[in-house]
C-alpha cells in the first residue's frame, strides 16, 4: 500500500531506467466481466491487481467465476459460467470504480436475479443516470438509491431486456460498453451511436471472445448481436498507457531523463497523450511495436528542453481524458499557452479534475485560467514545491508527484492511498527511476 502522504524533491540528476507499468485498467475490468460470462477456462496474464480491478474480479467470483492462481502473480486462470451466473450472496463493492459499476450494471440488468452495487464516497457522488437511462429503454429496472439523486448504491432487479438503438448524449466508453454488454446477453441487434470515438476495448474483446460485433467505417456506430456467450481464450493484457503517461511527462520535463517503458498498450483510441506530447516538442520513440488485438510496444522518452504549449482538439479529449491532470503538469513546464477545453467530463471523475488540477497547479505557482469545461495554462515559469491534497484521486496524486520531481523545494501530496486503485507500486517505481 502506498503511504497516505508522499513527499518528493526534484530529481536533480534526472530519471533513468527501464520499467514495466502494471496492466491496463480498462481492459482488466472487461476481461473479468467477459471471462465470467464465457464458456470454458482461460489464462489471464498481466491483470491489473489494483483495488478497482480486484473489486470487479471479486464481484465476478460472487457470480460464479472461478479464479485460480496462474504461474505467477498477476497471472491467473479464469473459468466462466457459460452465461449462467449465480445470484450474488452479498452486495457488490465497486470501491472507487465508475468503470466497474457502470459496466457490471449493463450485464446485471439482463440477468434473472437482483443485485445491489455500492462504492466509496467518491463513487456514490458520480452520475449513474447516464447508464440507467439507456438500460431503462431496454426494459431494465435500476434504482439509484444514493443520497444524491441518480447516484449509487444501485439496486438492480434483473429483467428480460429488449434491444435498443441508443444515441449516446456524451462521448463515454463506459456508457457505450454498458449498453453493448446488455446487448450481448439478449436476442437481437443492440446498437449505439457515439458523438466521438471513445476507447474501443469492449469491441476488441468482443472480437477476441467471438462475439458478433460490427463497427461502422467512421467508428461511431457499433452493433452487437446477441445472445452470444464469449468463448474462453487466453489473453495477455498490455501495460496501461494511462499509467505510462506519468513517466512520459516526467521523462519529458526532468532534465537528464531517459526512461524506457515496456509493453505499453498503444490502442489508437488511447494514444493521444503520445501525439499531444510530441506536438509539444517531447522526444518520444516507439520501439518493438506489435500489432494484434490490442497493439502494444515499448516507449522510450528522453528529456526535452524545447517543450511548448498546444491546443487540445475536441476529438482528442475522449482519447486522453484520464491523462489530462498530468498533461496539465507538462503544460505548466512548457513555454506558452496550452488550451484544454471541451473537457467538462473531468468535473465528474474521481474528483472534479478541473478544480483539483487548477488548484494544485496554482499552489505550485503555475498560471492557470479555469473554465467550466477546462483550463488554459500559461507555462514555462519554474514551479515550487507545496503541500497539496490529492482529494483521494489517484491521478491527481500521481500527477502532482510528477510535478514535484521538477519543482524547487519539497512537494507533499496528502491522501495518496488512492494510488492503489490504479497503480500499485507507483511510489517504488518512481524512487527506482530517480538517480
Ligand atoms: C473508461 C472510460 C473513461 C475513463 C475511465 C475508464 C473505460 O470514462 O475516464 O477511466 O474503461 O471505459 P468515460 O467513458 O465515462 O468517459
Amino acid at each position: 500500500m502506498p503511504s497516505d502522504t508522499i513527499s518528493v524533491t526534484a530529481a536533480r540528476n534526472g530519471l533513468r531506467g527501464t520499467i514495466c507499468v502494471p496492466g491496463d485498467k480498462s481492459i482488466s475490468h472487461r476481461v473479468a466481466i467477459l471471462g465470467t460470462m464465457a464458456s470454458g477456462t482461460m489464462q489471464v496474464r498481466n491483470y491489473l491487481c489494483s483495488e478497482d480491478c480486484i473489486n470487479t474480479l471479486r464481484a465476478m467470483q460472487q457470480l460464479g467465476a472461478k479464479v485460480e492462481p496462474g504461474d505467477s502473480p498477476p497471472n491467473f486462470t479464469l473459468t466462466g459460467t457459460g452465461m449462467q451466473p449465480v445470484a450474488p450472496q452479498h452486495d457488490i463493492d465497486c470501491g472507487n470504480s465508475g468503470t466497474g459499476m457502470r459496466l457490471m450494471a449493463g450485464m446485471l440488468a439482463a440477468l434473472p436475479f437482483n443485485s445491489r452495487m455500492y462504492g466509496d464516497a467518491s463513487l456514490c457522488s458520480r452520475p449513474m443516470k447516464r447508464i440507467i437511462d439507456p438500460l431503462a429503454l431496454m426494459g431494465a429496472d435500476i434504482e439509484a438509491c444514493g443520497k444524491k439523486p441518480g447516484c449509487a448504491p444501485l439496486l438492480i432487479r434483473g429483467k428480460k431486456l429488449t434491444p435498443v438503438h441508443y444515441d449516446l448524449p456524451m462521448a463515454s466508453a463506459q456508457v457505450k460498453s454498458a449498453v453493448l454488454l446488455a446487448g450481448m446477453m439478449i436476442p437481437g441487434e443492440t446498437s449505439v451511436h457515439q458523438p466521438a470515438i471513445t476507447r474501443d476495448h469492449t469491441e476488441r474483446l468482443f472480437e477476441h471472445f467471438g462475439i458478433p460485433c460490427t463497427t461502422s467505417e467512421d467508428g461511431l456506430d457499433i452493433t452487437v448481436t446477441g445472445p452470444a456467450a464469449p468463448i474462453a481464450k487466453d489473453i495477455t493484457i498490455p501495460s496501461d498507457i494511462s499509467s505510462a503517461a506519468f513517466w512520459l511527462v516526467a521523462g519529458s520535463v526532468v532534465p537528464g531523463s531517459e526512461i524506457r517503458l515496456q509493453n505499453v498498450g498503444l490502442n489508437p483510441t488511447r494514444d493521444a497523450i503520445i501525439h499531444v506530447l510530441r506536438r509539444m516538442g517531447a522526444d518520444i520513440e516507439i520501439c518493438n511495436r506489435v500489432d494484434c488485438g490490442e497493439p502494444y510496444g515499448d516507449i522510450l522518452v528522453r528529456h526535452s528542453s524545447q517543450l511548448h504549449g498546444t491546443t487540445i482538439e475536441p476529438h482528442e479529449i475522449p482519447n486522453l481524458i484520464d491523462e489530462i491532470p498530468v498533461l496539465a503538469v507538462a503544460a505548466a513546464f512548457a513555454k506558452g499557452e496550452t488550451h484544454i477545453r471541451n473537457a467538462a467530463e473531468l468535473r465528474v471523475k474521481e474528483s472534479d479534475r478541473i478544480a483539483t488540477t487548477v488548484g494544485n497547479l496554482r499552489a505550485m505557482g503555475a498560471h492557470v485560467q479555469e473554465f467550466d469545461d477546462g483550463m488554459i495554462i500559461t507555462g514555462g515559469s519554474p514551479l515550487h514545491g507545496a503541500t497539496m491534497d490529492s482529494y483521494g484521486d489517484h491521478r491527481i496524486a500521481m500527477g502532482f508527484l510528477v510535478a514535484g520531481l521538477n519543482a524547487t523545494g519539497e512537494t507533499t501530496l496528502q491522501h495518496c492511498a488512492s494510488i492503489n486503485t490504479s497503480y500499485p507500486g507507483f511510489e517504488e517505481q518512481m524512487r527506482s527511476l530517480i538517480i
Side-chain angles (χ1 to χ4, degrees), residues 50-73:
S50 71
E51 282 168 9
D52 278 7
C53 298
I54 295 284
N55 278 329
T56 294
L57 196 57
R58 283 202 187 115
M60 295 300 104
Q61 286 175 289
Q62 279 215 63
L63 297 191
K66 277 208 188 75
V67 177
E68 282 150 327
D71 42 10
S72 61

Side-chain angles (χ1 to χ4, degrees), residues 26 30 99 102 130 171-174 199 321-322 345 349:
S26 292
R30 287 160 170 81
T99 310
R102 293 186 178 123
R130 53 179 59 198
S172 165
Q174 294 179 356
R199 63 190 69 192
I321 190 77
D322 294 339
E345 273 295 304
K349 294 294 180 189

